[in-house]
Amino acid sequence: MFFEIDVSNGVPVYEQGARQIKFAIADGAFEPGQLIPSVRELARELAINPNTVARSYRDLQDQQVIESVRGTGLAVTKSAPTTCRSDRIRVAREHIKNAIGQALRSRLSQDEVLEIVQEELKRVQQN
Amino acid sequence: MFFEIDVSNGVPVYEQGARQIKFAIADGAFEPGQLIPSVRELARELAINPNTVARSYRDLQDQQVIESVRGTGLAVTKSAPTTCRSDRIRVAREHIKNAIGQALRSRLSQDEVLEIVQEELKRVQQN
Amino acid sequence: MFFEIDVSNGVPVYEQGARQIKFAIADGAFEPGQLIPSVRELARELAINPNTVARSYRDLQDQQVIESVRGTGLAVTKSAPTTCRSDRIRVAREHIKNAIGQALRSRLSQDEVLEIVQEELKRVQQN
Amino acid sequence: MFFEIDVSNGVPVYEQGARQIKFAIADGAFEPGQLIPSVRELARELAINPNTVARSYRDLQDQQVIESVRGTGLAVTKSAPTTCRSDRIRVAREHIKNAIGQALRSRLSQDEVLEIVQEELKRVQQN
DNA sequence: GTGGTCTAGACCACG
DNA sequence: GTGGTCTAGACCACC
């Protein structure tokens, strides 16, 4: 599997877990109707507590990204791919907006902001 | 005074307090050597706990933005304006970098990121 | 056959199976002495696990709705039609009582409850 | 306080807890802005585990009935009274509809349903 | 003191 | 085997 958890970066483990599942769905790695890894299985793989995984999965159920099939497991909902994809874009957009808003409030000029953005895009491109 | 605290936005109150002082210094509202408001005074004004203000001031002392003048109060250091200004830019830059990094990890293309940024800059310009 | 299972509505699958058999008996679709579908047959038809059907049938035997005929299968008991019919009414009655009790505890007045009931009866009548 | 938990009735304890808080808000026992009992305090009072109370409170936060005030406690939101009141009616209505639907599917006539309802209303009235 | 997160381990219903 | 619930107890940041 391709999941990774960083316990030391402040972001709650259960959120990281939920986000990775949503990313996997957005990327088509999990299709509607398909069962996602069981609580115990994912907990073993990520070396975290099953309850923490359960918390991730509960949140995903609240968001109607997965649904419980009794005694069988948790399955990706029909609407999940769409919501996961749009979620991802929406969140990214939100962060960019916040960062820019804060930069302008910090007296950076529009040109300076644009320059930082282009710098960063170029830097990432090289890696 | 022009300080504002929002207890409901996740950012620790003491950090908001410290940042507002630093912003005021960066803007030249407080000059080197000038005394900043006393713990009790600021606590009253912001309607927050004096312990919280004390925590803000302690952090600012650790960052050598203010220094204790025995028997008198806390004064802005000589180096404060410079460090406050560069701090602010550094933090803003950091946020933009993070936001862009996250956007690219979310499969937004470089063009899409650039478009969002320009959109947002234009939007702010109009207000 | 006219059986339907909904795995996603919280009601245990084995209970749905047992209830459908009892409904069929109450409706006269199965007569006393008649053999009901075999575990494997019903499991195939409903696309559920044979263990689950077996569980339904075990419950029905406990309730003396069906009885094992050695080497032959499971047959509807003589008393089954009567008990199935009265069961169904008893359960429905119970649910209505619970719903009303809860509504009153939720501060709905008796008139409001009656109004909701009549509304709902009228609505169903039209379909 | 006026909270009661029945651990043996199938309804999860954390749901009972959340519902009681919502009922209290709907009844005006808690006003917007007011702090609800702390996790530890309510856990002590109900003789249940603090984590279980925390789960109730987390659900209430998801429903925007309460909001966290850092280091201080959990406060009733401005919108809570309205949503709690309408929630209560909506849920009761839903239950009545379900019960009636099931009764009709069980071959009870409309008159029989109405009779059961009136019986039950009268019975409750006497207590 | 407050809530938030995480771990550990138990018991249950269900398939 | 599966998820769901509950308990117990730890550590953290914050006020």
Side-chain angles (χ1 to χ4, degrees), chain B residues 9-106:
Chain B
N9 71 355
V11 181
V13 174
Y14 71 86
E15 267 187 36
Q16 293 184 51
R19 187 165 47 188
Q20 303 229 18
I21 296 285
K22 290 172 84 174
F23 270 41
I25 294 171
D27 285 343
F30 291 128
E31 309 252 319
Q34 188 177 347
L35 292 180
I36 61 174
S38 77
V39 168
R40 289 177 186 78
E41 187 184 339
L42 186 56
R44 201 176 44 242
E45 185 176 338
L46 297 180
I48 61 178
N49 193 302
N51 281 329
T52 306
V53 176
R55 168 80 191 263
S56 302
Y57 284 3
R58 182 154 41 81
D59 285 1
L60 291 174
Q61 285 184 73
D62 290 347
Q63 298 166 36
Q64 301 182 324
V65 168
I66 57 177
E67 60 194 351
S68 161
V69 182
R70 317 221 347 192
T72 306
L74 292 161
V76 176
T77 63
K78 234 174 93 180
S79 62
T82 308
T83 61
C84 288
R85 266 191 289 269
S86 64
D87 250 41
R88 200 155 71 165
I89 292 171
R90 189 181 49 71
V91 167
R93 192 177 218 100
E94 203 68 34
H95 282 187
I96 292 176
K97 286 186 178 180
N98 286 341
I100 289 177
Q102 197 223 341
L104 296 176
R105 280 195 303 282
S106 295

Side-chain angles (χ1 to χ4, degrees), chain C residues 45-91:
Chain C
E45 186 176 337
L46 298 179
I48 63 177
N49 192 304
N51 281 330
T52 307
V53 177
R55 168 81 190 262
S56 301
Y57 284 4
R58 181 153 44 80
D59 285 1
L60 292 176
Q61 286 184 72
D62 289 348
Q63 298 167 36
Q64 301 182 325
V65 168
I66 58 179
E67 60 192 353
S68 160
V69 181
R70 317 214 353 185
T72 305
L74 293 161
V76 176
T77 64
K78 236 175 88 179
S79 63
T82 308
T83 59
C84 287
R85 267 191 290 270
S86 64
D87 249 42
R88 201 153 73 164
I89 292 172
R90 189 181 50 70
V91 167

Side-chain angles (χ1 to χ4, degrees), chain A residues 11-14 48-49 51-52 55 70-72:
Chain A
V11 181
V13 173
Y14 71 84
I48 62 177
N49 190 288
N51 276 327
T52 305
R55 166 86 190 261
R70 309 171 57 87
T72 304

